[in-house]
Each structure stands twice: as structure tokens, then as C-alpha cells.
Amino acid sequence: MSSSDPKFLHRLIRGISGLAASSFFTEIRVVGGENVPQDGPIIVTATHHNMMLDPVILSVAFPHRRILNYWSKASLFANPIVRYILYSSGNIPVDRKSKDRQVLFKGTFEALSKGNAVALFPEGTSYTEPRIMQVKDGAAWASLEYAKWLKENPDKASSQDVTIIPAAIVYTNKSKYRSNLLSSRFGRPITMDAYKKQFFSGVDGDPRASVKRLTRAIENELIEMTINAPDWDTLYAARMARDILWEADKSIKLDEFTTISQTLVDLFSTPDATTNFTSARRHLLEYYSLLQSTHLTNSVLSALPLPRSLDPNTPATLPSRLLTLFLLIRDSVSILARTPFFLFPMIVHMPVYIMGRLGARLVEDEEETQAQNKVAFGLLALTLIYPATFFFLWALFWYTPTGALLAAGIVYLFAIYHIQMINGSAKRVIAAWRVLMGVWAPKTWEFSLAALSQYTTPLTPPENPWIDRPKTPVQPPANSKDVPSYSAPGSPRPADLLPAGVASKPEPPVRARPTRRPPSRRIMRHVLRARIEAVKALASFFDQLERAPEKRIKASAHLAKLYGVPAKTENVLSVPPTGAEAPTNPDGWRTAGEIVSFLRKRGANIPTTGHGLIEGEWAALSSEGEETPAEDQEITWVPPATRA
């Protein structure tokens, strides 16, 4: 294929995939696009945590609209027709059976020699884990072997070396419909200058050592651009804290989403951060699990109008209670009033939701595949529904040319209106009635504590069998005490960097839980109680942090370098001597005061212990008006703008 090949199939697939991705996610953002050159040979090394959606998102959002070429088995290119289809859709052959790397990467060399872009997923498989688990050497070998090929064949291409562009695809909730997506974060370009000398030295073992160093540099960049936690509980606790500190939807700038999330992960990975560390994590995890079980979010609950006047056990003037109920009914009627305009698009799209849910249920234990199936099954349904709807409407207009335009316009407007309704206040109003019915239900309907226990522990995905896990954990240095250094860039295996006693523990097994959502009348008061306890525990947690502003909190190396004190003064990305490994455990620390200030400056609404109640706290009380066990202190929300 010539470099001027327009790749019609790739552009067509990218266009269709872009429409599907934009309908599944509410927002797609690109960060670091200035790091991607407009032309010249590049190899893009991207994270791979969402199956086929990853190449879709990468291709759709890639800067400068450059065409990306992906590896495919060389045997598929034997048939001329299939070969044209594969090339035109953006695929290049890789002969995996060959032990000669110059033969293995022949198709890659041809694409790079024409100044094209090649995209790889160096993790080797798509998986769902709380951290980056592995980065393989394929991208490093391809880059350095191309430099060798370029040196041996100067007449076949320009003298421009290939540049590696690390890319991290970050999802706020990768399997949830209409969630946000921080599409791609493109890291600092990695050139071959620092690695070619060792690779070409001719010394036995030097080429492999050079490749390992380059792989480590790629891994460093990917870790810096993603969220990495030592275990699921730490990641879930950090997510819950983030959702409490930033209650409103889209209140976090997507450009800062990864940095904020990693800061909270670091914070909840420091066991001695505060005296109530264990208690705070437990309350956050319980609340997170109950939200998972009820398919609610903290942003929805925090936005509900639940003043104490709705409490059936608290005396209140009739006008006050009626006014509150009137406002809730008014919002409900407002939603129902639009039902005639919403109903037809909803009926039209119902097969899409049914097919999407069916596709997700086929892979319930593989979160990284659920979104792919939802999009694929839904897209399949749409290819049948939209044409059928169009021809039905066109028939109503007597198959006239004007009628065709009107039918196409109506289908388009129905689709747009349907998405806007889904993103609107309908979910909030439905959640308000669910909460109200759950609170007003007799206490005898509630789950007992024994029955509730099945919903208070977060589910954890099963281990991916295709990931290379270390068999023997490596103990940290002697001067590393209680604090994990799990997310330090340059770590060959994040599990190796866990503190003693933690790394030896296996990931928790998948816990059985009923697949159906528990009835609101039986669990809702428990959810609201868990919210109150989580907020109060978080308030106490941050209160202790503020009382000890100089307390050292373990930090990921890149965050310690930016905001704190790195453990090592040398640049962790610097090139080690020939044959030497890159430095391990290059972590550092930040102070508690700096972290609190960092979060506030980015809009965190940090609760503080004081006098006051959370709106809706009455709903967490029992029917007799007795408060369920919770923290003793009350809290006050102080807007970040009013703080120093």
C-alpha cells in the first residue's frame, strides 16, 4: 500500500465508531495533543483496559486526524481481497511465527518508513485491575529494530528515527452508559537517542538491556498518566472520597481527574495518615458498596430535596410539608409532561437498551468487555431500527423527496432529544421517589443487619489469567516502613512494591451477590445512613490531617516530584549505565497540609467537624426516630472558596 493510500475503510469505520462512542460517553477529552507530531514515523503505546473501545477511542480522538495502523496476524494477509480490506482499514502484518525480528516487524518497518503512525497496546491484553500490571517489550523491540533497519537501509526511508508516544486512555466509569471519558492523555515523546548506542554496541546482552530500559521508560509514562492503586479496596475508598468531595456531576475538570484521583489513592494507601484511617476506609467502602447495589450515585443523593419537613416522625407545619411535597410532585409532573415527546424515542430505542444489557450480561465477570458489547450490540440494533423508523415515517409522507428529508430530520431529532432526556433530571426525580418511599416504609420492611451484610462489601473483578503475576513478592528496602510505594514509576511490577505483609495477600475473591437490585423499601434507609457515616468519617479524617499539616504522606514518584519531595534526587527517567537496571522504588512523599490545600484549590468541598446536619440526615434515622450507629460529631460543609 502506498503512503498516499486514502484508507477509505479506516475513515469509514472511524466515523461510525466516533458516533457510537460519542453516544455512549457524555464527553471525550484529549490532553497532551501537543506532544504528538503532525508527521513522521511514530509508535503510539496505549493502555488497554476496555477491549475494542480502546482502539476506537484512540483512532477517533487522535490528534491531527492521523491514521493509526494496528498489528494483525501476517497469515490473514494471504488473500489479495482480504489483504486490501485489512490495509485499507488500518492494519499491518506481524509475522509472530518468525524468530527473526527483522522479519517479524517487516510490515511495521514499511509503515514507519513512509512516515506513518503505528499504534500498539504494550500491556499485551485488556484487563480490569486497580493498577497497570505489566508492560511488555514488543514496542521497544519494534522501535529499536527499526532504528537498526534504518541504519542498514538508508536508501529505503528518510533518516528520521521513530518516536514513541505514550498514550493513556482513562475512563471515569468505563462500562457505564453516558459516563465521562478522558479520552487520551499523550505523554512526553520518547526518542531513540538514549538507547541506540547500547543497542548497537555489539556486546552480548546489551540489546536486551537497552530494550528493557526503553520498556521501563514507556511504563514510567503510562503510570504517570493513569490511576494506580495497590488493591481494590484502596481504589474504591479513593473513588468514594472523590465523589463526596466533588458531589456535583462534572465538577472535576477532566484535565485534573487523574491527578486528583491518584492523590486520593496515595492518601488512602498510607495507613498511618490518621488515627481513624481504618474506620474512614471502612465507612467509605460500605457506602460505595451500597451505592453499587442500588445503582445510585452520591451526586444524585446529594442533589435530592430531602428537608426535615418530609420526616414522618418529626412534627412539622402542614404548609411546610405540603410545599416540599408539591415541589417534588411538580418536578415529577414536569417530567411526565414531556413523556409524549420522550415516549416515542424511548420506544424506538428500547431494543438498543435490551440488546446492550444482553451483551453486558454475557460477560458479567469481564468489566473490560461490557462496554464493548453494549456498544456493539446496541449499534447492531440501531442499524435495523433507524432505517425501519425512517422508512415508516417516509411512508407517512407518501415517499416524497421532501418527506424523506422530513423523516431523516425527525429520526435525528428524536435521537438527540432522547439523549438529552437521559442526561436530564429524570434520573434525579426517580431517585427522589425511591428514597422517599424507602424512608416512609415501615421499619419492619428493612433488611436486618445480617441480610444487609451481602451488600456492604464491594464486588471485585476476577483476576485476568493472561496477566503475568509475580510468584514471589519482593520485600521493600529496610528503610521503607509502613507506607506502600506501589505506584512509583519505573516499578517492574506494582505488586512488588507493596509493604511487607500486604504484597503477600492475594486479591480478594469475587463475592457472590444477588444480581437483582434490592428493593428500595428495604435498603434505602441503610444507604442514607451509610452516606452520613461516610461523610462524618471523611470529615474527621481531614480534620486530623489539618491538625498535623507536616505529616508525611507517601506519594507516587511523579506527584512527589511536582508537589512534594522525591525520595531520590536523580531523575528517575535518566538513563542508567550500560547494562544497569533503572532505579526501583523511586517514590517520595507529600505533606498532609499540602495535599489538603491541593484538593481545595481544585474545588474539593471538604467537610469539617462542627455543628450542623446534612440535609436529609433525618432519613437515616429509624422509624422511631433513633439514630443508627454513626460518628458522634456533626459536620459542616464549608465551600472551598471561603477557605484559605
Side-chain angles (χ1 to χ4, degrees):
M1 302 293 291
S2 67
S3 59
S4 60
D5 176 54
K7 295 187 181 291
F8 290 118
L9 285 180
H10 180 93
R11 297 176 190 277
L12 176 63
I13 294 172
R14 185 173 64 181
I16 296 174
S17 301
L19 292 175
S22 61
S23 65
F24 189 86
F25 299 105
T26 59
E27 184 176 0
I28 299 177
R29 182 73 61 85
V30 176
V31 177
E34 67 278 3
N35 291 326
V36 180
Q38 295 188 24
D39 49 39
I42 60 174
I43 291 181
V44 182
T45 56
T47 55
H48 196 22
H49 302 155
N50 212 0
M51 291 298 283
M52 289 302 297
L53 280 189
D54 288 335
V56 166
I57 296 301
L58 190 63
S59 297
V60 167
F62 199 72
H64 315 305
R65 304 293 291 174
R66 294 191 64 174
I67 300 293
L68 296 179
N69 298 272
Y70 296 91
W71 281 354
S72 296
K73 291 176 61 176
S75 58
L76 298 176
F77 290 75
N79 184 284
I81 298 177
V82 176
R83 180 168 64 249
Y84 174 81
I85 293 174
L86 289 173
Y87 273 121
S88 183
S89 58
N91 292 273
I92 53 177
V94 175
D95 188 359
R96 292 185 174 91
K97 295 181 180 180
S98 176
K99 295 182 179 180
D100 184 348
R101 294 189 180 90
Q102 291 289 315
V103 176
L104 173 68
F105 299 125
K106 181 181 178 182
T108 304
F109 297 164
E110 291 179 356
L112 294 175
S113 66
K114 298 168 185 174
N116 293 336
V118 175
L120 313 177
F121 298 102
E123 291 170 280
T125 185
S126 182
Y127 59 86
T128 298
E129 293 287 345
R131 57 189 177 270
I132 288 181
M133 299 296 293
Q134 62 185 19
V135 175
K136 296 182 177 291
D137 299 331
W141 277 115
S143 302
L144 289 171
E145 287 288 349
Y146 176 71
K148 178 181 177 181
W149 179 87
L150 197 61
K151 182 179 179 182
E152 296 173 351
N153 301 274
D155 57 323
K156 294 184 178 181
S158 67
S159 59
Q160 185 177 4
D161 272 331
V162 65
T163 300
I164 293 178
I165 307 296
I169 306 173
V170 181
Y171 303 86
T172 59
N173 191 332
K174 65 183 181 181
S175 62
K176 182 181 179 182
Y177 177 60
R178 303 307 294 165
S179 60
N180 291 330
L181 166 65
L182 177 55
S183 171
S184 293
R185 294 177 62 91
F186 296 99
R188 296 182 293 269
I190 302 175
T191 64
M192 299 300 104
D193 297 338
Y195 307 95
K196 288 193 299 183
K197 181 178 180 181
Q198 184 181 17
F199 190 78
F200 297 152
S201 67
V203 179
D204 187 35
D206 268 13
R208 182 171 296 275
S210 179
V211 166
K212 291 295 182 182
R213 289 172 47 227
L214 180 53
T215 299
R216 184 67 57 83
I218 295 171
E219 184 180 16
N220 291 341
E221 288 292 325
L222 295 181
I223 289 177
E224 287 189 19
M225 296 186 293
T226 53
I227 304 166
N228 296 272
D231 52 65
W232 284 111
D233 281 355
T234 301
L235 182 63
Y236 290 157
R239 283 180 183 175
M240 195 69 261
R242 183 189 64 210
D243 291 346
I244 292 175
L245 297 176
W246 285 269
E247 287 186 330
D249 285 332
K250 300 183 180 180
S251 55
I252 296 181
K253 294 181 179 179
L254 287 183
D255 297 5
E256 300 176 330
F257 178 83
T258 303
T259 305
I260 289 172
S261 298
Q262 188 62 55
T263 296
L264 292 172
V265 165
D266 291 344
L267 185 58
F268 284 98
S269 301
T270 309
D272 62 345
T274 65
T275 58
N276 73 330
F277 174 86
T278 302
S279 173
R281 270 184 42 136
R282 174 170 54 81
H283 286 304
L284 290 170
L285 288 172
E286 179 180 351
Y287 182 37
Y288 181 88
S289 181
L290 289 172
L291 290 178
Q292 276 187 325
S293 302
T294 54
H295 300 177
L296 291 170
T297 64
N298 183 68
S299 62
V300 169
L301 290 181
S302 63
L304 296 182
L306 294 174
R308 183 169 289 274
S309 59
L310 287 180
D311 185 359
N313 303 296
T314 300
T317 60
L318 185 61
S320 176
R321 180 165 294 169
L322 289 178
L323 176 61
T324 305
L325 282 175
F326 170 76
L327 295 177
L328 185 58
I329 294 173
R330 181 199 63 184
D331 291 343
S332 302
V333 171
S334 175
I335 295 295
L336 293 174
R338 287 175 281 177
T339 298
F341 305 98
F342 177 69
L343 190 58
F344 180 67
M346 186 65 185
I347 293 175
V348 169
H349 289 87
M350 187 59 66
V352 178
Y353 290 105
I354 295 175
M355 291 289 289
R357 178 162 294 188
L358 175 62
R361 285 182 176 177
L362 295 177
V363 287
E364 286 183 330
D365 293 334
E366 300 177 16
E367 187 181 355
E368 66 273 12
T369 313
Q370 290 180 14
Q372 165 193 288
N373 282 15
K374 287 180 181 179
V375 172
F377 280 55
L379 192 60
L380 178 62
L382 285 177
T383 58
L384 301 175
I385 292 171
Y386 280 172
T389 305
F390 167 77
F391 282 108
F392 172 77
L393 293 174
W394 192 18
L396 297 180
F397 296 117
W398 302 96
Y399 295 108
T400 62
T402 304
L405 294 176
L406 289 175
I410 291 174
V411 171
Y412 174 77
L413 292 176
F414 275 175
I416 297 299
Y417 184 72
H418 172 73
I419 292 176
Q420 290 179 346
M421 283 290 292
I422 292 295
N423 292 340
S425 57
K427 290 183 178 180
R428 182 178 62 83
V429 173
I430 293 173
W433 282 110
R434 284 182 61 195
V435 170
L436 202 57
M437 295 302 101
V439 169
W440 282 2
K443 188 177 185 299
T444 54
W445 289 4
E446 289 183 14
F447 279 126
S448 64
L449 293 180
L452 182 69
S453 61
Q454 63 185 317
Y455 300 107
T456 56
T457 303
L459 293 176
T460 55
E463 291 186 349
N464 190 308
W466 304 107
I467 293 177
D468 298 330
R469 300 176 187 274
K471 296 180 180 179
T472 304
V474 179
Q475 299 297 332
N479 60 352
S480 179
K481 297 181 180 179
D482 300 324
V483 186
S485 55
Y486 55 89
S487 60
S491 164
R493 291 290 184 271
D496 295 346
L497 302 180
L498 293 175
V502 175
S504 59
K505 296 179 180 179
E507 292 284 354
V510 179
R511 301 171 176 90
R513 176 186 290 178
T515 55
R516 296 185 61 184
R517 187 175 68 193
S520 299
R521 67 181 184 278
R522 305 198 65 186
I523 200 173
M524 196 55 64
R525 189 177 283 110
H526 293 295
V527 175
L528 297 175
R529 171 192 54 78
R531 176 175 179 258
I532 300 301
E533 291 179 350
V535 171
K536 288 184 175 181
L538 194 62
S540 176
F541 180 78
F542 275 99
D543 186 60
Q544 292 189 36
L545 288 178
E546 291 192 281
R547 289 202 300 265
E550 299 303 319
K551 175 70 178 180
R552 291 189 177 187
I553 305 296
K554 202 70 166 184
S556 305
H558 60 288
L559 296 184
K561 191 175 180 180
L562 290 173
Y563 306 107
V565 178
K568 297 180 181 294
T569 56
E570 69 268 19
N571 186 346
V572 299
L573 294 180
S574 62
V575 181
T578 301
E581 288 291 335
T584 58
N585 293 345
D587 48 17
W589 52 268
R590 299 164 69 180
T591 63
E594 183 275 327
I595 289 176
V596 174
S597 176
F598 171 88
L599 296 175
R600 283 178 177 162
K601 288 179 180 178
R602 283 151 183 81
N605 193 13
I606 299 177
T608 59
T609 55
H611 301 287
L613 295 173
I614 304 175
E615 184 179 49
E617 184 167 356
W618 62 268
L621 306 180
S622 68
S623 295
E624 286 77 21
E626 297 176 356
E627 188 172 6
T628 54
E631 301 288 342
D632 293 335
Q633 72 274 8
E634 296 178 341
I635 70 161
T636 301
W637 293 95
V638 181
T642 65
R643 302 185 182 189

